[in-house]
Amino acid sequence: VWEIDEMLQQLNEEMGYQVGIHVDGASGGFIAPFQDDVPAWDFRLPTVLSISASGHKFGESVCGTGWIVWRQREGLSEHVAISVSYLGGKADSYTLNFSRPASGIFVQYYKFNRLGRNGYRALRDNQASNAKYLRDALKSFTCEDGRPYFTMLDAGDT
């Protein structure tokens, strides 16, 4: 994201564009914030306009929990909101599928408060340790002729 941000800043300045980035943090949105030495990928970058995350993956919430956050209200398209009549007035609903149970929101709120930043960091560290253990085990498998049975496509040792 940081490399695309640099390119977009230059392009926007040279051409007078206002192109921004949406970060789809479906999985990484609950991993990157709790890793050390990860380059900026979020609202610290000027062209990042919105970020989505799936709480039901690494956020420890129930299935279907997810959200999107915009840097500014101006970035929120009017096509996302649905105006509904509610208690004698009008209200905007910003859910992508208007009628959804609230259990995921409550569970995620509880997890945020219960675990906090340190708790989510501990979960991420545990997941990384398990991934490294599995990776090392897979790397140890060899064919009869001594060649590695699996080819690792990334460094993956962190």
Side-chain angles (χ1 to χ4, degrees), residues 11-89:
L11 180 71
N12 287 342
E13 186 176 319
E14 290 174 3
M15 304 299 288
Y17 296 156
Q18 295 179 343
V19 177
I21 298 173
H22 166 71
V23 176
D24 183 353
S27 294
F30 268 99
I31 295 174
F34 309 105
Q35 283 183 284
D36 295 325
D37 303 324
V38 172
W41 58 274
D42 50 21
F43 292 129
R44 292 172 290 175
L45 300 175
T47 62
V48 172
L49 304 179
S50 58
I51 303 170
S52 60
S54 299
H56 65 273
K57 292 178 182 163
F58 295 105
E60 301 279 312
S61 191
V62 299
C63 287
T65 304
W67 57 88
I68 184 168
V69 180
W70 280 266
R71 178 188 295 271
Q72 302 173 37
R73 185 173 179 87
E74 293 82 35
L76 176 60
S77 171
E78 70 274 4
H79 300 293
V80 174
I82 299 170
S83 184
V84 294
S85 177
Y86 184 70
L87 298 175

XYZ file of all heavy atoms in Angstrom, residues 11-89:
600
model
N 1.152 11.046 -9.033
C 0.202 11.111 -10.137
C -0.850 12.187 -9.886
O -1.168 12.993 -10.773
C -0.466 9.753 -10.343
C -1.479 9.672 -11.478
C -0.778 9.734 -12.822
C -2.295 8.402 -11.351
N -1.422 12.201 -8.680
C -2.443 13.194 -8.345
C -1.901 14.612 -8.472
O -2.590 15.504 -8.973
C -2.979 12.955 -6.934
C -3.870 11.730 -6.850
O -4.370 11.238 -7.852
N -4.045 11.222 -5.647
N -0.669 14.817 -8.030
C -0.067 16.148 -8.100
C 0.209 16.551 -9.547
O -0.109 17.666 -9.962
C 1.230 16.182 -7.289
C 1.834 17.571 -7.191
C 3.064 17.592 -6.305
O 3.044 16.920 -5.250
O 4.039 18.270 -6.681
N 0.785 15.650 -10.319
C 1.145 15.959 -11.709
C -0.076 16.152 -12.603
O -0.089 17.026 -13.470
C 2.024 14.852 -12.288
C 3.417 14.800 -11.711
C 4.206 13.593 -12.201
O 3.687 12.806 -13.037
O 5.357 13.428 -11.737
N -1.086 15.321 -12.414
C -2.236 15.323 -13.323
C -3.459 16.057 -12.755
O -4.452 16.205 -13.457
C -2.622 13.876 -13.658
C -1.486 13.056 -14.256
S -0.877 13.716 -15.807
C -2.203 13.331 -16.891
N -3.392 16.454 -11.498
C -4.547 17.112 -10.893
C -5.668 16.154 -10.533
O -6.812 16.554 -10.359
N -5.347 14.868 -10.418
C -6.350 13.859 -10.057
C -6.582 13.852 -8.548
O -5.823 14.452 -7.784
C -5.898 12.468 -10.485
C -5.753 12.251 -11.968
C -4.911 11.259 -12.441
C -6.450 13.004 -12.891
C -4.768 11.024 -13.802
C -6.312 12.789 -14.251
C -5.468 11.798 -14.695
O -5.327 11.569 -16.031
N -7.608 13.140 -8.162
C -7.893 12.896 -6.744
C -8.173 11.409 -6.552
O -9.198 11.017 -6.022
C -9.081 13.732 -6.279
C -8.837 15.214 -6.314
C -10.046 16.003 -5.877
O -11.159 15.499 -5.829
N -9.831 17.264 -5.550
N -7.247 10.592 -6.978
C -7.403 9.133 -6.876
C -6.963 8.701 -5.490
O -5.909 9.115 -5.004
C -6.561 8.412 -7.956
C -6.661 6.906 -7.796
C -6.995 8.853 -9.344
N -7.777 7.880 -4.859
C -7.467 7.389 -3.524
C -7.426 5.872 -3.480
O -7.688 5.197 -4.481
N -7.103 5.364 -2.313
C -6.959 3.919 -2.107
C -8.002 3.442 -1.104
O -8.231 4.078 -0.071
C -5.563 3.585 -1.544
C -4.461 3.989 -2.522
C -5.453 2.109 -1.193
C -3.052 3.851 -1.955
N -8.615 2.301 -1.414
C -9.404 1.567 -0.424
C -8.553 0.369 0.001
O -8.110 -0.407 -0.847
C -10.730 1.070 -0.982
C -11.369 0.056 -0.081
N -11.915 0.394 1.135
C -11.479 -1.293 -0.182
C -12.361 -0.697 1.729
N -12.110 -1.738 0.946
N -8.308 0.223 1.282
C -7.540 -0.913 1.798
C -8.526 -1.991 2.217
O -9.318 -1.796 3.134
C -6.651 -0.498 2.994
C -5.935 -1.722 3.565
C -5.658 0.564 2.579
N -8.480 -3.112 1.516
C -9.309 -4.258 1.877
C -8.527 -5.072 2.897
O -7.701 -5.903 2.550
C -9.632 -5.092 0.642
C -10.564 -6.260 0.954
O -10.852 -6.490 2.153
O -10.987 -6.928 0.012
N -8.778 -4.785 4.157
C -8.069 -5.456 5.239
C -8.829 -6.652 5.765
O -8.829 -6.895 6.978
N -9.471 -7.402 4.883
C -10.307 -8.518 5.305
C -9.592 -9.441 6.294
O -10.140 -9.787 7.332
C -10.779 -9.308 4.093
N -8.389 -9.826 5.987
C -7.617 -10.659 6.907
C -6.529 -9.846 7.589
O -6.396 -9.848 8.802
C -6.987 -11.845 6.173
O -7.972 -12.713 5.710
N -5.737 -9.141 6.806
C -4.603 -8.402 7.345
C -4.978 -7.246 8.250
O -4.145 -6.760 9.008
N -6.232 -6.803 8.199
C -6.669 -5.689 9.031
C -6.614 -5.986 10.518
O -6.618 -5.063 11.338
N -6.561 -7.250 10.880
C -6.410 -7.631 12.290
C -5.051 -8.248 12.568
O -4.829 -8.775 13.651
C -7.506 -8.601 12.712
C -8.703 -7.907 13.290
C -9.809 -7.675 12.523
C -8.691 -7.446 14.600
C -10.904 -7.028 13.044
C -9.775 -6.797 15.128
C -10.890 -6.578 14.347
N -4.159 -8.183 11.604
C -2.809 -8.704 11.811
C -1.789 -7.579 11.763
O -0.984 -7.409 12.666
C -2.494 -9.802 10.768
C -3.424 -11.002 10.997
C -1.046 -10.231 10.864
C -3.327 -12.080 9.969
N -1.834 -6.782 10.702
C -0.844 -5.708 10.512
C -0.760 -4.722 11.686
O 0.346 -4.341 12.071
C -1.123 -4.965 9.206
N -1.876 -4.308 12.289
C -1.749 -3.332 13.381
C -0.983 -3.865 14.595
O -0.533 -3.086 15.426
C -3.196 -3.024 13.774
C -4.011 -3.426 12.611
C -3.281 -4.566 11.964
N -0.843 -5.163 14.692
C -0.220 -5.759 15.873
C 1.145 -6.369 15.565
O 1.695 -7.100 16.368
C -1.164 -6.793 16.479
C -2.544 -6.218 16.695
C -3.594 -6.547 15.867
C -2.754 -5.291 17.701
C -4.848 -5.992 16.046
C -4.005 -4.721 17.888
C -5.055 -5.074 17.060
N 1.678 -6.060 14.398
C 3.019 -6.501 14.024
C 3.983 -5.329 14.168
O 3.619 -4.186 13.921
C 3.058 -6.979 12.575
C 2.474 -8.348 12.363
C 2.619 -8.766 10.926
O 1.885 -8.302 10.078
N 3.568 -9.642 10.656
N 5.208 -5.652 14.519
C 6.239 -4.628 14.590
C 6.822 -4.406 13.195
O 6.861 -5.314 12.368
C 7.354 -5.065 15.550
C 6.848 -5.179 16.980
O 5.975 -4.370 17.373
O 7.312 -6.085 17.703
N 7.283 -3.209 12.968
C 8.006 -2.863 11.741
C 7.230 -3.094 10.451
O 7.815 -3.452 9.426
C 9.352 -3.625 11.674
C 10.221 -3.337 12.893
O 10.192 -2.185 13.371
O 10.903 -4.264 13.371
N 5.921 -2.907 10.486
C 5.127 -2.983 9.263
C 5.013 -1.565 8.713
O 4.625 -0.652 9.440
C 3.721 -3.561 9.543
C 2.838 -3.459 8.322
C 3.823 -4.995 10.004
N 5.358 -1.366 7.451
C 5.219 -0.019 6.875
C 3.771 0.464 6.956
O 2.838 -0.340 7.021
C 5.659 -0.199 5.429
C 6.442 -1.463 5.407
C 5.881 -2.324 6.490
N 3.603 1.762 6.920
C 2.256 2.340 6.987
C 1.374 1.759 5.883
O 1.808 1.597 4.746
C 2.342 3.856 6.862
N 0.142 1.441 6.242
C -0.806 0.865 5.295
C -2.206 1.447 5.520
O -3.149 1.085 4.848
C -0.879 -0.652 5.463
C -1.284 -1.033 6.861
C -0.458 -1.173 7.938
C -2.605 -1.243 7.350
N -1.188 -1.467 9.062
C -2.515 -1.514 8.733
C -3.866 -1.228 6.751
C -3.636 -1.766 9.523
C -4.976 -1.483 7.553
C -4.859 -1.757 8.924
N -2.336 2.361 6.449
C -3.635 2.823 6.903
C -3.777 4.333 6.707
O -3.185 4.894 5.799
C -3.826 2.423 8.368
C -2.626 2.823 9.227
O -1.861 3.712 8.830
O -2.456 2.239 10.308
N -4.553 5.000 7.542
C -4.825 6.422 7.378
C -3.603 7.311 7.603
O -3.674 8.514 7.419
C -5.973 6.865 8.285
C -7.308 6.288 7.890
C -8.099 5.653 8.820
C -7.758 6.375 6.590
C -9.333 5.122 8.468
C -8.979 5.842 6.211
C -9.769 5.218 7.154
N -2.486 6.744 7.979
C -1.251 7.525 8.025
C -0.807 7.912 6.624
O -0.048 8.869 6.459
C -0.146 6.739 8.743
C -0.414 6.548 10.236
C 0.595 5.614 10.851
N 0.349 4.257 10.362
C 1.111 3.212 10.630
N 2.201 3.355 11.353
N 0.814 2.019 10.166
N -1.258 7.180 5.631
C -0.946 7.490 4.236
C -2.030 8.420 3.686
O -3.213 8.140 3.830
C -0.884 6.208 3.400
C 0.161 5.184 3.834
C 0.031 3.917 3.006
C 1.556 5.763 3.729
N -1.631 9.509 3.036
C -2.607 10.507 2.615
C -3.640 10.040 1.602
O -4.750 10.563 1.579
C -1.765 11.630 2.018
C -0.353 11.222 2.082
C -0.261 9.905 2.767
N -3.318 9.054 0.758
C -4.291 8.649 -0.257
C -5.219 7.523 0.202
O -6.132 7.146 -0.533
C -3.587 8.217 -1.568
O -2.774 7.089 -1.303
C -2.765 9.351 -2.152
N -5.022 6.991 1.404
C -5.936 5.966 1.907
C -7.228 6.653 2.346
O -7.231 7.492 3.242
C -5.319 5.153 3.063
C -6.367 4.237 3.696
C -4.136 4.338 2.566
N -8.318 6.303 1.670
C -9.607 6.937 1.932
C -10.526 6.080 2.788
O -11.368 6.588 3.507
C -10.314 7.251 0.609
C -9.535 8.123 -0.377
C -10.346 8.333 -1.644
C -9.161 9.442 0.266
N -10.368 4.746 2.687
C -11.238 3.851 3.444
C -10.514 2.537 3.701
O -9.613 2.156 2.961
C -12.545 3.597 2.688
O -12.293 3.038 1.414
N -10.940 1.887 4.777
C -10.360 0.600 5.171
C -11.505 -0.304 5.610
O -12.358 0.105 6.397
C -9.363 0.752 6.339
C -8.246 1.726 5.980
C -8.803 -0.607 6.756
C -7.361 2.098 7.166
N -11.510 -1.517 5.097
C -12.489 -2.491 5.575
C -11.762 -3.591 6.333
O -10.585 -3.848 6.096
C -13.290 -3.086 4.404
O -12.427 -3.739 3.499
N -12.454 -4.199 7.248
C -11.892 -5.306 8.020
C -12.998 -6.308 8.312
O -14.169 -5.952 8.377
C -11.260 -4.809 9.318
N -12.609 -7.543 8.469
C -13.550 -8.610 8.796
C -13.281 -9.068 10.217
O -12.298 -9.760 10.465
C -13.392 -9.782 7.821
O -13.651 -9.369 6.511
N -14.147 -8.685 11.117
C -13.985 -9.057 12.513
C -14.152 -10.539 12.753
O -13.668 -11.079 13.745
N -14.842 -11.226 11.841
C -15.089 -12.649 12.044
C -13.895 -13.515 11.680
O -13.912 -14.705 11.941
C -16.316 -13.098 11.252
C -16.154 -13.009 9.769
N -16.437 -11.863 9.073
C -15.731 -13.913 8.856
C -16.203 -12.068 7.795
N -15.768 -13.307 7.636
N -12.855 -12.935 11.109
C -11.676 -13.737 10.786
C -10.717 -13.687 11.961
O -10.812 -14.490 12.876
C -11.047 -13.251 9.480
C -11.944 -13.534 8.296
C -11.387 -13.024 7.011
C -12.387 -13.307 5.881
N -12.097 -12.504 4.711
N -9.795 -12.741 11.972
C -8.819 -12.671 13.056
C -9.245 -11.723 14.172
O -8.516 -11.525 15.128
C -7.445 -12.276 12.506
C -6.886 -13.311 11.583
C -6.877 -13.116 10.216
C -6.380 -14.499 12.085
C -6.372 -14.084 9.356
C -5.867 -15.467 11.243
C -5.866 -15.251 9.876
N -10.421 -11.136 14.063
C -10.914 -10.235 15.097
C -11.650 -10.939 16.215
O -12.118 -10.303 17.154
N -11.801 -12.272 16.077
C -12.407 -13.091 17.130
C -13.900 -12.840 17.326
O -14.436 -13.087 18.394
C -11.678 -12.879 18.464
C -10.204 -13.211 18.424
C -9.931 -14.693 18.559
O -10.496 -15.321 19.460
O -9.150 -15.202 17.739
N -14.598 -12.326 16.308
C -16.033 -12.098 16.422
C -16.790 -13.224 15.718
O -16.190 -14.178 15.233
C -16.410 -10.739 15.831
O -17.744 -10.409 16.171
N -18.102 -13.090 15.641
C -18.941 -14.132 15.034
C -19.000 -13.954 13.519
O -18.701 -12.879 12.991
C -20.364 -14.129 15.636
C -20.323 -14.407 17.126
C -21.066 -12.803 15.379
N -19.404 -15.012 12.815
C -19.481 -14.981 11.346
C -20.312 -13.800 10.855
O -21.350 -13.473 11.430
C -20.099 -16.277 10.825
S -18.975 -17.665 10.946
N -19.816 -13.184 9.802
C -20.539 -12.078 9.185
C -20.189 -10.709 9.727
O -20.671 -9.704 9.225
N -19.347 -10.641 10.750
C -18.996 -9.343 11.330
C -17.900 -8.693 10.502
O -16.859 -9.286 10.260
C -18.492 -9.495 12.781
O -19.484 -10.179 13.541
C -18.218 -8.145 13.402
N -18.161 -7.494 10.069
C -17.182 -6.740 9.311
C -17.625 -5.302 9.223
O -18.767 -4.971 9.537
N -16.722 -4.447 8.829
C -17.073 -3.034 8.728
C -16.140 -2.337 7.771
O -15.133 -2.880 7.337
C -17.030 -2.354 10.095
C -15.711 -2.490 10.766
C -14.631 -1.671 10.655
C -15.312 -3.546 11.611
N -13.588 -2.150 11.376
C -13.983 -3.309 11.984
C -15.941 -4.680 12.091
C -13.286 -4.155 12.820
C -15.244 -5.522 12.920
C -13.944 -5.252 13.276
N -16.501 -1.113 7.473
C -15.662 -0.250 6.654
C -15.622 1.110 7.333
O -16.630 1.572 7.872
C -16.187 -0.162 5.201
C -15.252 0.667 4.327
C -17.588 0.372 5.158
C -15.546 0.546 2.839
N -14.446 1.713 7.324
C -14.248 3.021 7.954
C -13.712 3.968 6.891
O -12.792 3.608 6.149
C -13.240 2.923 9.127
C -13.029 4.273 9.777
C -13.698 1.891 10.134
N -14.301 5.156 6.820
C -13.841 6.172 5.883
C -13.041 7.238 6.621
O -13.339 7.566 7.770
C -15.024 6.854 5.194
C -15.588 6.058 4.073
C -15.277 6.166 2.760
C -16.578 5.020 4.159
N -16.001 5.267 2.020
C -16.809 4.557 2.852
C -17.296 4.438 5.208
C -17.709 3.553 2.565
C -18.194 3.446 4.930
C -18.393 3.001 3.617
N -12.044 7.783 5.944
C -11.232 8.866 6.509
C -12.114 10.081 6.794
O -11.999 10.701 7.842
C -10.123 9.263 5.533
C -9.269 10.429 6.028
C -8.308 10.922 4.964
N -7.302 9.974 4.593
C -6.112 9.859 5.193
N -5.792 10.639 6.184
N -5.249 8.953 4.793
N -12.962 10.433 5.836
C -13.842 11.591 5.968
C -15.219 11.219 5.442
O -15.345 10.389 4.553
C -13.319 12.765 5.140
C -11.932 13.210 5.488
C -11.440 14.270 4.511
O -12.206 15.113 4.075
N -10.171 14.212 4.163
N -16.211 11.878 5.962
C -17.570 11.616 5.504
C -17.710 11.897 4.002
O -18.471 11.246 3.308
C -18.572 12.451 6.293
C -20.012 12.131 5.954
C -20.975 12.865 6.877
N -22.338 12.574 6.537
C -23.026 11.542 6.990
N -22.451 10.692 7.811
N -24.272 11.340 6.629
N -16.954 12.869 3.482
C -17.041 13.205 2.065
C -16.677 12.014 1.176
O -17.092 11.939 0.037
C -16.127 14.395 1.722
C -16.551 15.703 2.352
C -16.084 15.842 3.802
O -14.980 15.359 4.146
O -16.846 16.407 4.599
N -15.861 11.099 1.684
C -15.473 9.934 0.906
C -16.541 8.859 0.849
O -16.443 7.916 0.070
N -17.557 9.001 1.654
C -18.643 8.020 1.712
C -19.644 8.302 0.601
O -20.274 9.353 0.572
C -19.325 8.096 3.079
C -20.531 7.219 3.324
C -20.159 5.752 3.177
C -21.090 7.477 4.701
N -19.772 7.395 -0.328
C -20.670 7.571 -1.461
C -22.122 7.605 -1.006
O -22.535 6.829 -0.129
C -20.479 6.425 -2.455
O -21.478 6.465 -3.447
N -22.901 8.484 -1.632
C -24.330 8.544 -1.311
C -25.044 7.277 -1.748
O -26.148 6.990 -1.297
C -24.982 9.775 -1.960
C -25.102 9.701 -3.464
C -23.856 10.166 -4.213
O -22.837 10.483 -3.584
O -23.912 10.187 -5.453
N -24.410 6.469 -2.581
C -25.025 5.229 -3.053
C -24.927 4.103 -2.027
O -25.566 3.072 -2.177
C -24.389 4.785 -4.367
C -24.532 5.800 -5.453
N -25.740 6.146 -6.009
C -23.607 6.588 -6.052
C -25.564 7.076 -6.913
N -24.270 7.368 -6.965
N -24.133 4.296 -0.990
C -23.995 3.284 0.045
C -25.121 3.424 1.074
O -25.612 2.447 1.608
C -22.609 3.382 0.740
C -22.518 2.429 1.914
C -21.509 3.099 -0.259
N -25.549 4.644 1.334
C -26.572 4.899 2.356
C -27.967 4.624 1.811
O -28.267 4.884 0.651
C -26.485 6.334 2.840
N -28.800 4.092 2.671
C -30.202 3.886 2.365
C -30.980 4.730 3.365
O -30.797 4.592 4.580
C -30.610 2.408 2.513
C -29.807 1.536 1.557
C -32.103 2.238 2.295
C -29.976 0.048 1.808
N -31.828 5.621 2.863
C -32.645 6.443 3.750
C -33.890 5.651 4.116
O -34.623 5.182 3.245
C -33.023 7.755 3.063
O -33.732 8.570 3.961
N -34.102 5.478 5.416
C -35.246 4.700 5.885
C -36.092 5.541 6.832
O -35.590 6.436 7.513
C -34.789 3.403 6.610
C -34.101 2.472 5.634
C -33.900 3.710 7.770
N -37.368 5.250 6.859
C -38.273 5.914 7.798
C -38.163 5.174 9.127
O -38.362 3.958 9.198
C -39.711 5.842 7.262
O -40.584 6.413 8.202
N -37.830 5.925 10.164
C -37.596 5.284 11.452
C -38.123 6.163 12.571
O -37.696 7.308 12.718
C -36.094 5.023 11.630
C -35.737 4.271 12.881
C -36.059 2.934 13.021
C -35.096 4.907 13.922
C -35.732 2.230 14.166
C -34.771 4.224 15.086
C -35.086 2.884 15.198
O -34.775 2.199 16.337
N -39.076 5.653 13.334
C -39.657 6.355 14.477
C -40.146 7.749 14.109
O -39.901 8.736 14.797
C -38.659 6.446 15.638
C -38.208 5.106 16.230
C -37.136 5.333 17.295
C -39.383 4.332 16.800
N -40.829 7.831 12.976
C -41.420 9.094 12.556
C -40.467 10.045 11.877
O -40.828 11.167 11.541
N -39.249 9.633 11.650
C -38.278 10.497 10.983
C -37.503 9.703 9.952
O -37.788 8.543 9.693
